[in-house]
Amino acid sequence: MNTADCEDIRAAVDEAVSALCAHLEPGSLIVLGCSTSEIAGGRIGKASVPELGPVVAGAMIDACRAREMEPAFQCCEHLNRAVVLERDALRRRGYTQVCAVPQPKAGGSVPAAAWRLLEKPALALRVQAEAGIDIGDTLIGMHLRPVAVPLRIGLTRVGEANLVLAYSRLPYIGGSRAVYQ
């Protein structure tokens, strides 16, 4: 990937975070699932591009921090889709910490880079994020709070990878007599 491609990736991640922020409160957790294989035009899990890890992870961290959001990074199935985030966010939210350090071939290039870029990284067994970004069909739904609402923006791809966004809303409970805000 050349410099222009990296700038396009950074811009796409920033646009995605910005779009989600219209539906979120400050301090919300945004989980990112990303396949660098798919961004580069390969098949998920088969053509990892470790050099893209810091580009995507750095863009996500910068975009979230600029908007007072908390970034999180879903690992691949080799780490049971555990999630990298700041240790204080893990503790504050009461998530279960697990013991592993993501690597490009065991966790994924983006979570491995996030581990190096975050101040005090930790690995959570699972999270319930308020929103999510899925780059390359990594299936982040297990880490979103109910009820997930798809968000369509003009941008549909990052490199060659599909881009899907979702935020969560409070579940409606009750029946015909319930009153909602």
Side-chain angles (χ1 to χ4, degrees), residues 7-126:
E7 286 305 316
D8 289 346
I9 291 167
R10 284 186 189 95
V13 171
D14 189 73
E15 183 178 338
V17 170
S18 180
L20 286 170
C21 286
H23 304 277
L24 303 172
E25 297 291 325
S28 294
L29 186 69
I30 302 175
V31 65
L32 170 71
C34 181
S35 168
T36 59
S37 302
E38 292 277 332
I39 290 174
R43 187 169 165 215
I44 192 169
K46 301 295 182 195
S48 183
V49 185
E51 305 80 41
L52 285 178
V55 174
V56 177
M60 178 70 172
I61 291 167
D62 291 346
C64 286
R65 286 183 179 158
R67 295 169 178 89
E68 299 180 4
M69 300 294 162
E70 294 184 330
F73 302 85
Q74 176 183 272
C75 294
C76 70
E77 71 275 8
H78 298 290
L79 289 184
N80 296 323
R81 301 203 191 282
V83 178
V84 175
L85 69 163
E86 289 286 2
R87 186 175 307 137
D88 65 334
L90 177 140
R91 290 179 177 160
R92 192 174 55 256
R93 291 170 172 268
Y95 296 143
T96 300
Q97 188 170 354
V98 293
C99 187
V101 176
Q103 304 298 311
K105 296 288 186 181
S109 296
V110 174
W115 187 271
R116 293 187 306 274
L117 293 171
L118 292 171
E119 292 175 27
K120 293 182 181 174
L123 195 61
L125 180 62
R126 66 180 59 87

Side-chain angles (χ1 to χ4, degrees), residues 130-156:
E130 286 82 9
I133 301 170
D134 188 327
I135 300 173
D137 304 321
T138 63
L139 303 176
I140 60 166
M142 66 187 287
H143 294 301
L144 294 177
R145 289 174 48 189
V147 170
V149 179
L151 178 61
R152 305 275 188 248
I153 61 174
L155 185 64
T156 61

